[in-house]
Amino acid sequence: MLAFCAAELSSRGWHVVVPSRRAPLMPDSGPGRAARATVRTGNRPTWVRAEWAEPAALAEDAQFALGRPADLLVAWVDAAYRETVLRAVEPLLAPHAPVVEVHAAAPVPDPLLDGHPTQQVLLGHFQHDANRRISAGVLEAVERALAGRPPSLHQVDEYSYR
């Protein structure tokens, strides 16, 4: 659902790593688990196989793909795995790197990663062009985060873009 957001950040010169349970994946010859898979072509995001129930493996694969501390985290993780996944990837973040968390349902939990200013996005209901609208709303939160704006909650829904 955040593919357009990831593509936009890549087009702006960001090295974007996208942990995802779904393709597109290709075998990777790097070290680590046999299940590791990434693909990077030009200015496209790097996709990393991710299982939320295996946060340590997710963090290891993301670290391999990143190659350095991350300057930004955009996270849309199922509520049942949110804390374990965010805690697992926290060591991969540069000091004070901003975080954008995406939530599909209210209530929105308090930010989890101390020392990382957090913009939160609450998704509403969509009927048309959901992927692009969600990505546009998340990009607005990313821009706020990168500009150093105070942490806040953003609601994104069908009616925000009419």
Side-chain angles (χ1 to χ4, degrees):
M1 288 292 255
L2 294 179
F4 296 108
C5 179
E8 176 61 25
L9 290 172
S10 288
S11 75
R12 294 179 187 182
W14 284 79
H15 172 69
V16 177
V17 175
V18 182
S20 174
R21 292 177 289 157
R22 295 182 177 89
L25 300 173
M26 294 173 58
D28 184 306
S29 59
R33 304 184 298 141
R36 172 181 284 128
T38 63
V39 62
R40 181 168 175 80
T41 309
N43 263 0
R44 293 191 179 165
T46 302
W47 295 86
V48 177
R49 178 187 292 284
E51 292 296 336
W52 306 134
E54 300 175 18
L58 182 156
E60 178 185 331
D61 289 352
Q63 183 176 29
F64 174 77
L66 279 167
R68 64 180 183 83
D71 295 319
L72 171 70
L73 171 64
V74 178
W76 185 355
V77 181
D78 184 279
Y81 300 105
R82 175 181 172 259
E83 184 168 355
T84 57
V85 168
L86 291 180
R87 294 282 184 219
V89 300
E90 183 176 21
L92 307 182
L93 299 176
H96 311 295
V99 172
V100 176
E101 275 197 74
V102 181
H103 304 279
V108 173
D110 289 335
L112 193 62
L113 303 181
D114 293 334
H116 296 280
T118 302
Q119 300 290 328
Q120 295 190 315
V121 177
L122 175 61
L123 302 178
H125 298 285
F126 293 88
Q127 295 178 358
H128 306 287
D129 201 20
N131 291 352
R132 288 188 188 273
R133 292 173 187 270
I134 289 169
S135 285
V138 172
L139 274 170
E140 286 181 21
V142 165
E143 290 167 358
R144 288 183 56 81
L146 294 175
R149 303 296 263 300
S152 59
L153 174 64
H154 314 269
Q155 184 160 351
V156 178
D157 57 31
E158 185 75 25
Y159 305 105
S160 300
Y161 294 94
R162 287 187 180 212

